Amino acid sequence: MGKALSRDNVLRVSLLALAAANGAAIAAPALAQDTPAPVAEAADDNAATIVVTARRREERLLEVPIAVTTFSGETLSQQGAIDLTDLANATPNVTLETSRGTNSTLSAFIRGVGQQDPVSGFEQGVGIYLDDVYLNRPQAAVLDIYDVDRIEVLRGPQGTLYGRNTIGGAVKYVTKQLPQEASVTIKGTYGSYDQADGIITASAPVGSLARIGGSFARLSRGGFGTNKTTGLANYNKDIWAARSTFELGGYGEPGLLRISGDYTKDNSNPRGGHRLIPALVSGTPLLSNVYDSQGALNDPKQYVEAYGVSANGTLEVGGGFTIRSITSWRKDGSASPIDFDALPAVDVDVPALYYNDQFSQETQLLFDNGGKLKGMVGAYYLTASADTLFDVRLFTTIAGITAYTEADVDTDTYAIFGDFTYDFSPQISLSLGGRYTWDKRQAHILRQNYLGGGSPTFGGAGAAFGAASTNFRGSSEFDKFTPRISLSYKPTRDHNIYASFSQGFKGGGFDPRGVGVNAPDLNHDGTLQDSEIASYLSFKPETVDSYEVGYKGNLFNGRAYVALAAFRMDYHDVQIPGSAGCTVGGIATFCGIITNAGKARFQGIEAESNIRIARDFLASGDRLSLAGTFGYIDAKYGKYVTQIAGVGPVDVAPYRKVQNTPKITWSSTLAYMVPVGAGTVNFSTTVSYRSKTYQFEIPNPYIDQNGYALWDASLVYIAPNKRWSLGVHGKNLTDKRYKTSGYTFMGADAVTGALQMVGGKLVPTLGKEGTLTAFYGNPRQVFATASFHF
């Protein structure tokens, strides 16, 4: 044996050193089953040819008993997808939206489970992953689509395969692996509302084993409307972003080390809401353009800055075993001047700051030696800090009154988990998995009134008024074991029938907007104890039991692919954060309200299909395909207990709705590809539909959105060898106006939620002018793209 190490041994030593540096824990997240999204080229694919790594090993599409829709980077480019929210139009029972009053904070719901409150202390119900790294906070999570290999949307709890907070599902954004040869790609876009995007991607080999590369993106667009008070463009886009990657190994080598970094700076203007009722005191009339606003708040200056680094190493160590390590550190900060009332007056103005950072380590041991048993075990660790600071300025109520809140919430979570599949025969497979999670939540919540102006944190001249209404420090710990089991029967290679049961878990915490002095004196001793305040501010974990049966099959010799699923989810102690007008020490102000609704039941069906209708029928080599998705969900609260002043606990379940969960979602895509010269022309058109959507649990006829349809279309020419392409894309071609979110602080019946009227007018509960504002989805956009590959 020579003294020099072979190239393979050098690579093994390097990757093992990385794994040791990242930590010795054994951990595992994973993908889920892969249903091809409706695209032109996918109609010619089928589950016999598509290979996925849904459970961290290569498997045919049909073999994986989990529901997920996958969008390839090529598909997203051909359809002109802009950001993550575009995916919801072609995914059943999924809502992905930009949160109210923000440009890049994400609200995500899958099968009725999700979260739209961005403040610290409230965790997501849908996990968002960037290259296998869980994003702990929703700020900066509306990821723009560029340099992407694929995006996967998994439905149902995924705890045994993925990391934290996948009680409803997961969205996984996967960037491209660097090519082996030197490469440069330039892409430009110009369109309506002065949309002007430029993306440059370049990479080069470094020796025979390593590669280095990166992307730079400038994404900009004028506003859809105007803020009539500040003169700023409303709904504009002003983003600088970059990604860089170093890779060692891969492409047939026994291991791959991938070190990545990303940076995003969003300088877009504040996104102002549109008032739905005239101002109740000043009489300020409504604006005709729903994208116009007239809120005066513009301090602090709106921005979002997010960045992070990660190291992902995979090494085959022999005997069918593979070690994988994922290490990441991320940080983001943002400032948001949110003018709730959308008026020049300081009626309900909320300047806010968000600061988040996180470190995570995940290590996996995978086993697949080609035998009957396959699977993985692992462990996961996350430590994260989320700080939220905001004023609630109510100057029209009491001159210069401000309620200042500072909520610092730290999270430490540990988990061990595993998932194994045993093939009893070529037809029957059983999968068993489990996850044990330990969560620790620590919080410091400060609530202080100021008089004469805003708080000093936001440069205000107000002076502290009275004692702090909340000055709480506390911690809680939660732990839970959540199992998963699935049974698959494959009568032939082209058909799979499966049934599964899984549990999901999300830890509890403390209401960051809660008012401690309003806590009840539980022992009636005339003094509020720390334990009484902690009990009042805290909320319990939530859990879900999910049952699913499904079928996946290739039909008509592979010309059609069909995936069907029926599910039921029993949801317990549902966490429902909110806020409302209240009285603290005799002063009308703002309070947080957190409810653990007793239980909810979600059940429904999902269908996805991809059919090749014809081939070689108008021209040699052409292809016509039809793809569709359908989702139906019956989502109801079975028990929803709320405290009503002077009455006590009341079950209001018959009067509450599940928010951001339309009963019906569907989409249909007709795609045609035809060779032209040495290249190809790809045409696709998609119609998508969402039925009535409730923005909150209490129905509101002003901000709830009735059912609507959107129509998109794309025409793209791709040159030989994909050296260049030209495309024209249209989004929302009928120019439909539809609400995606809103604010309401109006009086309503405590039980039924019906809006109250006094003297023929609605009654405000916060401020004097009445806050009923809405935010809207994008109007019609038409844009052209050109890309060049060298």
Side-chain angles (χ1 to χ4, degrees), residues 325-671:
S325 175
I326 304 167
T327 307
S328 174
W329 172 83
R330 298 196 61 81
K331 188 171 185 177
D332 67 80
S334 57
S336 297
I338 308 173
D339 199 314
F340 278 46
D341 56 274
L343 288 169
V346 185
D347 192 49
V348 184
D349 286 9
V350 182
L353 299 171
Y354 304 91
Y355 300 111
N356 308 301
D357 64 76
Q358 67 177 83
F359 171 82
S360 62
Q361 169 61 43
E362 187 165 4
T363 311
Q364 309 166 13
L365 179 62
L366 302 92
F367 175 74
D368 185 357
N369 67 353
K372 292 186 175 182
L373 180 66
K374 307 174 184 67
M376 105 306 255
V377 293
Y380 177 78
Y381 170 68
L382 169 76
T383 181
S385 175
D387 301 339
T388 303
L389 307 88
F390 61 91
D391 279 0
V392 179
R393 298 176 179 175
L394 308 169
F395 292 0
T396 60
T397 302
I398 299 177
I401 190 69
T402 294
Y404 170 73
T405 297
E406 180 175 345
D408 303 335
V409 179
D410 296 332
T411 299
D412 287 283
T413 186
Y414 304 82
I416 55 174
F417 48 98
D419 194 276
F420 287 86
T421 298
Y422 186 80
D423 299 326
F424 290 97
S425 71
Q427 289 78 38
I428 299 175
S429 300
L430 177 67
S431 295
L432 294 173
R435 177 187 186 90
Y436 205 102
T437 303
W438 295 267
D439 275 357
K440 182 177 182 180
R441 193 70 52 83
Q442 300 180 82
H444 176 212
I445 303 170
L446 175 67
R447 167 72 177 262
Q448 176 68 58
N449 285 336
Y450 287 85
L451 192 61
S455 71
T457 297
F458 295 95
F465 177 69
S469 53
T470 304
N471 191 0
F472 169 78
R473 293 182 184 272
S475 65
S476 289
E477 296 184 14
F478 313 94
D479 63 278
K480 178 71 174 178
F481 174 74
T482 51
R484 176 181 176 84
I485 181 172
S486 66
L487 181 66
S488 295
Y489 172 62
K490 298 180 284 290
T492 72
R493 282 178 52 83
D494 287 331
H495 302 276
N496 185 9
I497 302 168
Y498 70 90
S500 67
F501 167 77
S502 60
Q503 286 187 333
F505 166 78
K506 188 171 74 171
F510 303 96
D511 187 351
R513 290 182 294 232
V515 178
V517 296
N518 283 2
D521 182 9
L522 299 177
N523 60 8
H524 306 289
D525 66 353
T527 303
L528 280 179
Q529 308 295 324
D530 289 343
S531 59
E532 292 171 325
I533 295 174
S535 176
Y536 178 68
L537 296 179
S538 65
F539 54 91
K540 298 182 293 184
E542 62 180 22
T543 60
V544 65
D545 297 332
S546 178
Y547 309 85
E548 182 173 330
V549 294
Y551 163 78
K552 301 182 179 120
N554 281 322
L555 307 174
F556 310 115
N557 295 319
R559 293 184 61 177
Y561 173 76
V562 175
L564 305 172
F567 63 90
R568 178 188 172 104
M569 301 172 69
D570 294 324
Y571 203 4
H572 308 282
D573 296 319
V574 186
Q575 298 168 5
I576 303 176
S579 54
C582 65
T583 300
V584 179
I587 298 176
T589 184
F590 167 91
C591 291
I593 300 172
I594 179 70
T595 300
N596 277 108
K599 59 183 179 180
R601 185 265 295 142
F602 308 150
Q603 59 188 17
I605 57 174
E606 295 165 350
E608 297 180 271
S609 64
N610 214 326
I611 303 169
R612 188 177 72 239
I613 299 175
R615 193 171 191 172
D616 301 324
F617 74 109
L618 291 179
S620 176
D622 70 352
R623 191 166 66 225
L624 180 67
S625 64
L626 179 66
T629 67
F630 177 82
Y632 168 82
I633 184 168
D634 177 21
K636 293 181 179 179
Y637 286 105
K639 185 178 181 182
Y640 191 126
V641 177
T642 187
Q643 293 287 334
I644 297 179
V647 178
V650 176
D651 185 357
V652 297
Y655 305 99
R656 298 297 183 262
K657 302 293 184 179
V658 177
Q659 64 165 280
N660 285 289
T661 303
K663 179 172 289 188
I664 295 174
T665 55
W666 61 260
S667 69
S668 181
T669 299
L670 183 68

Side-chain angles (χ1 to χ4, degrees), residues 183-233:
S183 173
V184 176
T185 300
I186 300 173
K187 182 178 181 179
T189 301
Y190 185 78
S192 49
Y193 300 98
D194 290 326
Q195 177 184 353
D197 300 337
I199 301 170
I200 300 176
T201 301
S203 65
V206 181
S208 60
L209 282 178
R211 300 164 297 281
I212 189 169
S215 295
F216 174 80
R218 171 63 173 141
L219 311 172
S220 66
R221 187 193 65 233
F224 299 144
T226 304
N227 185 307
K228 299 299 185 180
T229 301
T230 65
L232 296 173

Side-chain angles (χ1 to χ4, degrees), residues 83 85 95-109 115-119 124 137-142 235 270-273 302 336 338 354 659-660 695-696 740-743 774-776:
D83 59 45
T85 62
T95 296
L96 300 171
E97 294 173 343
T98 303
S99 296
R100 55 199 177 184
T102 74
N103 296 297
S104 55
T105 299
L106 183 68
S107 292
F109 289 77
Q115 175 61 263
Q116 71 161 320
D117 202 317
V119 301
Q124 302 169 84
R137 303 299 303 152
Q139 285 81 23
V142 178
Y235 290 82
R271 179 169 293 197
Q302 173 90 18
S336 297
I338 308 173
Y354 304 91
Q659 64 165 280
N660 285 289
Q695 307 295 352
F696 299 101
T740 60
S741 57
Y743 291 112
F775 298 87
Y776 289 78

